[in-house]
Amino acid sequence: MKIITVDSYEELGSRAADVMGAQVIMKPNCVLGLATGSTPLSLYQELIRRNKAGILDFSRVRTVNLDEYVGLGIESDQSYVYFMRKNLFEHINIDMNNTHLPNGLNSDVYAECARYDAVIESLGGIDMQLLGIGHNGHIAFNEPADSFTVNTNCVDLQQSTIEANARFFAKADDVPKKAYTMGVGAILKARRILIIASGEGKADIVREMIKGPVTPKVPASALQMHRNVTVILDKGAASKL
Ligand code: PGA
């Protein structure tokens, strides 16, 4: 793992934009795996700025997102498809037809998981996968478990994840209890992985991800087995390394 520590959350965004931007410049039709949550926001702001400044061109870029709540679609401002449009896609010159997320409105779990795996396959796999990390060590919505997931699956969200994400909803009860998520196996198939974390609250789990044993109890620890991972941390998130 290549570990980069920066001073601030803003700098985290710009260093991550350097890494992702280099990927886009090297391969203009690359497949980017994207993530939601608070951590990627400074990165997305910077990608938007660089696109508007003519530095980055997304016209041929394809994207696949990690996850989506079951039951939510574009009509819901809590859905991840809505998040991606508002925080990135609507502000850059990407073709919306080239952006992909699991369809939270498809209640046929088997069909939706198979469809999403086929989408990733049809794009030729993921060139660079962006990840955040949950306080419990989840990547995407792969929660701590007894074994690693492989392909897209439908998960029951843990209470700690529901509580962490309740900040985006009117009340905790409104947070969906299930989500579609790319599997850990599919994430590990990405050719490069970029994982970002910010704040002291993530320091313990970042240490476990990097220095702890590889275990499905800390899904992010699986990244130790990937040969091309870049970790960008601000001072707080790196404080226990
Ligand atoms: P956060 O979420 O960026 O909002 O902290 C990260 C995650 O849960 O993967």
Side-chain angles (χ1 to χ4, degrees):
M1 286 183 172
K2 178 177 176 191
I3 299 164
I4 299 170
T5 304
V6 297
D7 284 336
S8 66
Y9 176 63
E10 289 66 36
E11 208 189 326
L12 179 91
S14 95
R15 287 301 290 272
D18 291 345
V19 174
M20 195 166 267
Q23 172 67 71
V24 172
I25 289 166
M26 267 187 322
K27 186 175 174 187
N29 65 342
C30 64
V31 177
L32 297 179
L34 297 178
T36 52
S38 313
T39 316
L41 287 174
S42 63
L43 160 62
Y44 292 161
Q45 285 294 319
E46 187 57 21
L47 293 178
I48 292 167
R49 192 191 68 72
R50 294 182 193 195
N51 179 239
K52 290 196 188 309
I55 300 165
L56 287 179
D57 173 18
F58 291 90
S59 60
R60 295 172 61 206
V61 168
R62 285 91 44 87
T63 69
V64 283
N65 261 78
L66 289 169
D67 42 19
E68 178 62 282
Y69 290 117
V70 172
L72 300 191
I74 187 69
E75 302 297 318
S76 163
D77 58 8
Q78 305 301 341
S79 68
Y80 286 168
V81 60
Y82 183 95
F83 175 102
M84 289 310 300
R85 289 204 189 183
K86 292 294 162 201
N87 290 298
L88 184 64
F89 298 153
E90 285 179 0
H91 308 287
I92 59 176
N93 69 331
I94 198 162
D95 179 347
M96 225 52 103
N97 294 319
N98 287 339
T99 67
H100 305 275
L101 288 96
N103 176 7
L105 296 179
N106 188 352
S107 55
D108 183 338
V109 170
Y110 179 80
E112 182 52 24
C113 293
R115 182 195 72 82
Y116 204 59
D117 286 335
V119 166
I120 298 168
E121 185 81 22
S122 73
L123 295 172
I126 299 166
D127 289 300
M128 178 174 286
Q129 177 65 58
L130 172 69
L131 297 171
I133 180 170
H135 291 95
N136 62 0
H138 72 203
I139 44 175
F141 270 137
N142 295 288
E143 301 282 37
D146 293 331
S147 59
F148 287 114
T149 57
V150 180
N151 293 319
T152 303
N153 58 102
C154 181
V155 291
D156 293 314
L157 300 181
Q158 289 196 346
Q159 194 53 34
S160 64
T161 298
I162 291 171
E163 281 160 19
N165 290 4
R167 67 191 195 275
F168 301 114
F169 291 79
K171 51 187 191 311
D173 270 359
D174 294 344
V175 183
K177 307 289 180 288
K178 286 179 184 291
Y180 289 120
T181 181
M182 220 186 263
V184 173
I187 291 170
L188 290 178
K189 273 203 216 161
R191 292 181 266 280
R192 286 191 70 186
I193 291 175
L194 170 61
I195 180 160
I196 54 178
S198 167
E200 268 178 50
K202 295 277 173 77
D204 285 318
I205 198 68
V206 162
R207 190 192 59 235
E208 281 191 61
M209 167 180 80
I210 295 172
K211 300 202 162 156
V214 174
T215 164
K217 303 280 183 217
V218 181
S221 66
L223 301 178
Q224 292 178 32
M225 296 189 291
H226 193 283
R227 62 181 178 177
N228 200 337
V229 179
T230 302
V231 187
I232 307 183
L233 307 169
D234 66 9
K235 271 189 184 152
S239 60
K240 299 210 169 147
L241 287 179

